[in-house]
Amino acid sequence: MKIVVHNDNPDRWCRALQAAFPRATVVTAEAPAEVRRGADYLAVWQPPEWLLAEQTQLKGIINLGAGVDALLDNPELPADVPVIKLRDAGMAAPMADYVLYGVLHFYRGFDGYDHQQQQARWAPQPLPDKADWPVGVLGLGAIGRHVAQALAEAGFPVLGWSRSAKHLDGVDCRHGEDGLDAVLAQAQSLVTLLPDTADTRGLINAERLAKLPPGASLINPGRGALIDESALLDALGDGDTPGHLRGALLDVFSTEPLPDDNPLWQHPRVWITPHTSAPTPLDGAIDQVIRYLHSFEAGKTPTAVNPDAGY
Ligand code: OXD
């Protein structure tokens, strides 16, 4: 068995996979072409086109992250090789912390207190009832489900939305266009955790932002392409004049790193983190990939990504 690894920490991955499969050839994409070629498996994050193009006998491609958008967009991705992705290899818990922080930021009024502090203004604001703070979670995959349930456990009414109907204890699950409208109409905080696919790109546009209650907040740790950034800026209003939306906590952007001159950086009601909401935990990810490779070698293809759906 030959495995080629490409990501930003390939040596650590090669050591772990070599220890799990001592008889395998495990190399990084830096190995000479004659060593890399003829791989059975690629374990990769955002691989270069040549790495996919040069392979002739792949049994599987393992995406070393949860989002497969970059891999599916790679023009050299072979159509007949199953793509397997990481499915909550320990990312769901940090993601739930990130989202809970974001929801509490707006629910507890830290955005307003930030502003008051700059003016040395002491003005306690009333604390809303959690029951009056429905949170919408768009995307109920392995990570979205965990986040929705963590928010419900924290006491918020949670409305979840997914492409197809789902049932989740403690979460009011909706689907379809009507379901999306119902979630948008109620969400005081909207959390976007959908994958980047042809159906979801630009989903949160001006029209849908306008369907949120006035003063709603947006938390996007999913994918930048879900949000029309210029519609978001319009909805946030400029400088001192708030718009329809109260604020946004953003972790992902249509271009990353976020360019220096992007107006989101300077906006007083936007909080930015650099795509760090739920870093993939190395040990959990390695264990999951080892399990995938064992399944492949036992003749059982692990659950593959559906390239048409995009996840
Ligand atoms: C992922 C990510 O998809 O880190 O895993 O964005």
Side-chain angles (χ1 to χ4, degrees):
M1 156 161 77
K2 187 185 283 189
I3 309 166
V4 179
V5 179
H6 171 84
N7 69 352
D8 55 8
N9 194 2
D11 295 329
R12 167 81 173 85
W13 273 85
C14 284
R15 281 198 301 279
L17 295 179
Q18 191 69 76
F21 301 97
R23 298 217 303 266
T25 304
V26 185
V27 294
T28 74
E30 308 293 305
E34 63 279 14
V35 179
R36 287 185 326 246
R37 289 196 184 127
D40 298 291
Y41 304 102
L42 295 182
V44 288
W45 178 245
Q46 302 184 343
E49 290 175 24
W50 55 260
L51 184 60
L52 297 174
E54 71 184 8
Q55 297 297 337
T56 51
Q57 54 180 64
L58 288 173
K59 297 184 199 157
I61 301 177
I62 302 175
N63 184 62
L64 298 181
V68 281
D69 36 296
L71 186 56
L72 295 184
D73 280 350
N74 192 313
E76 296 296 343
L77 183 71
D80 51 348
V81 178
V83 171
I84 318 297
K85 64 174 192 166
L86 293 184
R87 292 178 191 271
D88 181 18
M91 290 93 105
M95 185 63 93
D97 288 346
Y98 182 94
V99 171
L100 194 56
Y101 168 86
V103 171
L104 290 173
H105 180 84
F106 296 107
Y107 165 71
R108 292 304 305 251
F110 286 115
D111 51 342
Y113 290 128
D114 244 10
H115 191 62
Q116 287 185 197
Q117 184 169 347
Q118 284 156 27
Q119 302 162 327
R121 186 161 159 250
W122 182 276
Q125 303 297 323
L127 181 60
D129 197 327
K130 277 188 181 167
D132 298 330
W133 202 278
V135 181
V137 178
L138 308 188
L140 297 175
I143 296 178
R145 276 202 295 271
H146 184 89
V147 168
Q149 287 184 314
L151 289 164
E153 274 161 33
F156 293 98
V158 181
L159 293 128
W161 185 78
S162 51
R163 204 168 72 126
S164 52
K166 293 208 168 141
H167 173 80
L168 269 186
D169 284 346
V171 178
D172 179 357
C173 292
R174 310 291 180 100
H175 68 284
E177 196 60 35
D178 290 351
L180 181 56
D181 282 351
V183 174
L184 295 176
Q186 296 176 63
Q188 284 301 324
S189 292
L190 183 71
V191 181
T192 41
L193 279 167
L194 291 158
D196 172 2
T197 70
D199 289 338
T200 63
R201 228 157 276 153
L203 184 79
I204 303 304
N205 55 17
E207 196 192 328
R208 295 202 173 91
L209 287 169
K211 290 182 177 171
L212 288 164
S217 48
L218 176 74
I219 297 159
N220 182 21
R223 280 291 182 262
L226 304 176
I227 315 282
D228 173 341
E229 280 172 9
S230 81
L232 174 62
L233 279 162
D234 287 347
L236 286 164
D238 54 14
D240 294 332
T241 323
H244 183 65
L245 281 198
R246 166 186 184 149
L249 170 62
L250 306 173
D251 188 51
V252 286
F253 302 89
S254 48
T255 305
E256 292 181 13
L258 185 63
D260 295 357
D261 59 354
N262 189 301
L264 288 168
W265 278 119
Q266 307 303 336
H267 199 286
R269 286 178 294 286
V270 173
W271 285 264
I272 288 177
T273 51
H275 199 142
T276 188
S277 52
T280 306
L282 198 56
D283 290 344
I286 288 173
D287 287 351
Q288 197 167 98
V289 170
I290 290 172
R291 283 200 299 278
Y292 288 159
L293 290 167
H294 277 302
S295 297
F296 267 119
E297 289 296 287
K300 288 181 247 143
T301 304
T303 306
V305 165
N306 172 352
D308 295 328
Y311 57 91

